Amino acid sequence: MKGTRLGIGFTVAAAALLALAPSAVAVTPESASATYDCGIWGGGAATLTATQDGDTATITLSTALTAPIAIGENTLASDLALTLNGGDTQTHFTGTVNPAMASGDPITVGPLTGTVASGDSLDSYLATGDAYSLSVLYLGVTVTCQATTVQDPGPFVF
């Protein structure tokens, strides 16, 4: 009887520890690149880095664009639109998180936060012809960028 109680106690303790374990899930690939066109603001290669924790994901985007002036930390309001599962639906990652950047530094935004479901496949290339893949607002000026290529090595799969 004593062994049975110990066994049950151990099982309950193990289940409790598993319930408290972090729910981080791997996203693949963790990093991808795409080319962006930002109109008069320029364009070029961008690197996107993704992480996932349950149904919340973050993406940080580092661009080839350079800051025309110094930009303070957490002052860029950004919206990154990604095509969901190759269809017409989009998932948006938003936020006002960015590092401080000196004039001439590459522009980086994020981590931007969005909601994902298991199996979601997200790519920054919007084949639906929407106005932008990335929108960044700073000092009342909005810069919009369109991804002109699909992500390499492929879309993020959550």
Side-chain angles (χ1 to χ4, degrees):
M1 185 71 130
K2 185 176 181 182
T4 303
R5 278 187 259 162
L6 284 176
I8 292 171
F10 178 75
T11 302
V12 170
L17 286 174
L18 286 174
L20 295 175
S23 61
V25 180
V27 56
T28 57
E30 293 177 1
S31 180
S33 61
T35 302
Y36 281 75
D37 177 2
C38 303
I40 63 170
W41 301 99
T47 301
L48 298 95
T49 306
T51 63
Q52 179 183 5
D53 187 5
D55 65 353
T56 300
T58 62
I59 296 179
T60 300
L61 186 133
S62 300
T63 70
L65 299 174
T66 56
I69 59 174
I71 297 173
E73 181 179 23
N74 301 331
T75 58
L76 299 177
S78 304
D79 180 357
L80 176 65
L82 296 114
T83 300
L84 175 63
N85 300 326
D88 292 335
T89 305
Q90 297 174 358
T91 297
H92 288 261
F93 287 74
T94 60
T96 56
V97 179
N98 63 273
M101 294 167 262
S103 176
D105 284 354
I107 293 178
T108 298
V109 296
L112 307 175
T113 304
T115 302
V116 296
S118 180
D120 280 359
S121 174
L122 300 176
D123 194 301
S124 61
Y125 180 73
L126 303 177
T128 59
D130 288 333
Y132 66 88
S133 301
L134 174 67
S135 173
V136 179
L137 173 66
Y138 183 65
L139 297 176
V141 176
T142 301
V143 175
T144 58
C145 304
Q146 185 71 35
T148 59
T149 63
V150 295
Q151 290 174 196
D152 181 33
F156 294 121
V157 179
F158 296 89

